[in-house]
Amino acid sequence: MRRTRRRKLIGFLYVTPALLFVLAFTLYPFARMFWISLNDWSLITPPKYVGLDNFRRAFDDDQTWTSLRFTLKYTLMITPILMIGGYLVALLTAPNTRLRRVTRTILFVPVVIGLGASSLLWYWLFSARYGLVNRALEDLGIIDEPILWLGTDASLGNWAVIISVVWKVLGFGMILFVAAIQAIPTEVNEAATCRRRKQLAANDAGDVAAHDAHRPTRHARERDRLTARRSTSST
Amino acid sequence: MTAGQPFNQPATSVFYVYLNSFPFLKLGYGAALSLILAFIILIFTITQMILTRRSQS
């Protein structure tokens, strides 16, 4: 009894640094933020306690709902692009050949560089007068006048942001999909290949119907197995 | 993206929290907004956890 308590205490001592870290940098700031939200505070004047007034104002503020709607719209736009794009790129780069590994590395580099650096980079690329994007489009003859990407046209700016974020995050989704694809056991792939070969052979022979007729359907196999089990359990 | 200018242009929720907290000097209001956002994210998280658990069993 005393020994187990001692062991528990030692275990607790081992996790103490991590606990302190969470306490100091997650729980305390969260509690403090809750307290700040109950105050009217402009950072330079002393805080004034106003209770839940801030929340009431937030729910009445149209801009709050506009920003939430815009967040939802942005998420719905970018998530399919990231998922489908990441999956397609993963299909291309999943097998471990030398060149594909290099390709994966190149696609993953944007994930590693800082968000601030990549934002500035794209800010310059999309610059109306000196940006490389406009320059490339002009040289290709797609546009005559430079486009004001990050100007007053909100949807254009939105697309510019989406392009830059896709460039930055696509590699992450790709790595996850590649890991999942590589985790598929080789037997599954072999079985699929065998089956496909058989099908092709049957096609060549010109009697797909005959081939399929000889192969019991999954449903029928399931039924046979269940009846077999029932007959054994009753005896 | 466009620093919310003119301000009726879309800003994402997180950016709106930042705008209120620091440039507009309404830290309490920003904190309240961020708590509302945290609550919305919490709802999504719980939904996702329930769905994941259901699909596993």
Side-chain angles (χ1 to χ4, degrees), chain A residues 30 33-34 36-37 39 41-44 54-55 57-59 61 63-64 67-68 70-71 74 150-154 157-158 161, chain B residues 1-2 5-14 16 20-22 25-29 31-38 40 44:
Chain A
F30 195 80
M33 191 187 75
F34 188 72
I36 290 172
S37 76
N39 286 276
W41 189 18
S42 67
L43 276 173
I44 38 181
N54 279 326
F55 291 92
R57 251 171 57 213
F59 281 114
D61 186 359
Q63 199 68 44
T64 308
S67 70
L68 282 173
F70 179 70
T71 308
Y74 170 77
L150 304 170
T152 46
D153 188 346
N158 195 9
V161 171
Chain B
M1 118 184 54
T2 53
Q5 283 166 355
F7 188 55
N8 277 340
Q9 277 196 359
T12 58
S13 298
V14 177
Y16 189 53
N20 272 301
S21 299
F22 301 108
L25 291 176
K26 291 189 283 188
L27 196 65
Y29 190 54
L33 282 173
S34 68
L35 274 175
I36 291 170
L37 186 63
I40 292 170
F44 275 103

Side-chain angles (χ1 to χ4, degrees), chain A residues 124-145:
Chain A
W124 288 324
L125 282 175
F126 278 121
S127 153
R129 211 179 290 182
Y130 314 106
L132 288 180
V133 175
N134 273 345
R135 181 61 198 266
L137 290 176
E138 271 175 56
D139 285 356
L140 290 169
I142 298 171
I143 55 169
D144 295 326
E145 290 283 302

Side-chain angles (χ1 to χ4, degrees), chain A:
Chain A
M1 168 86 189
R2 239 191 100 194
R3 251 185 115 154
T4 54
R5 185 180 292 171
R6 198 188 150 90
R7 279 185 59 144
K8 269 181 192 163
L9 200 70
I10 289 173
F12 193 72
L13 275 177
Y14 277 123
V15 293
T16 302
L19 277 180
L20 282 177
F21 195 86
V22 170
L23 207 70
F25 294 105
T26 307
L27 290 179
Y28 170 70
F30 195 80
R32 174 117 175 117
M33 191 187 75
F34 188 72
W35 181 78
I36 290 172
S37 76
L38 300 176
N39 286 276
D40 186 8
W41 189 18
S42 67
L43 276 173
I44 38 181
T45 54
K48 199 179 92 204
Y49 184 80
V50 291
L52 292 173
D53 224 34
N54 279 326
F55 291 92
R56 210 169 298 134
R57 251 171 57 213
F59 281 114
D60 286 341
D61 186 359
D62 276 349
Q63 199 68 44
T64 308
W65 301 110
T66 311
S67 70
L68 282 173
R69 254 199 314 277
F70 179 70
T71 308
L72 185 72
K73 187 182 133 204
Y74 170 77
T75 311
L76 289 179
M77 277 164 99
I78 202 162
T79 311
I81 299 176
L82 284 177
M83 295 299 286
I84 296 170
Y87 180 61
L88 292 179
V89 175
L91 282 184
L92 289 174
T93 59
N96 274 330
T97 61
R98 184 177 287 254
L99 195 60
R100 282 185 169 116
R101 279 187 187 156
V102 174
T103 314
R104 274 203 309 252
T105 312
I106 292 170
L107 284 171
F108 195 71
V109 164
V111 181
V112 185
I113 71 171
L115 186 62
S118 104
S119 300
L120 272 182
L121 183 84
W122 281 97
Y123 189 66
W124 288 324
L125 282 175
F126 278 121
S127 153
R129 211 179 290 182
Y130 314 106
L132 288 180
V133 175
N134 273 345
R135 181 61 198 266
L137 290 176
E138 271 175 56
D139 285 356
L140 290 169
I142 298 171
I143 55 169
D144 295 326
E145 290 283 302
I147 299 177
L148 196 60
W149 287 99
L150 304 170
T152 46
D153 188 346
S155 75
L156 212 57
N158 195 9
W159 278 111
V161 171
I162 285 178
I163 290 168
S164 74
V165 173
V166 165
W167 173 81
K168 178 140 178 33
V169 185
L170 195 73
F172 190 70
M174 176 198 71
I175 288 295
L176 294 182
F177 276 120
V178 164
I181 289 171
Q182 289 188 348
I184 296 172
T186 45
E187 290 90 347
V188 175
N189 278 325
E190 279 165 15
T193 315
C194 282
R195 193 161 162 181
R196 184 75 188 131
R197 276 213 195 105
K198 239 187 221 168
Q199 252 174 18
L200 286 176
N203 272 348
D204 285 347
D207 52 358
V208 189
H211 172 77
D212 281 345
H214 281 291
R215 199 180 59 213
T217 62
R218 197 169 149 217
H219 185 79
R221 261 184 288 140
E222 195 77 19
R223 195 188 54 215
D224 289 347
R225 218 186 64 219
L226 285 175
T227 47
R229 191 187 295 163
R230 198 171 302 140
S231 60
T232 50
S233 62
S234 59
T235 51

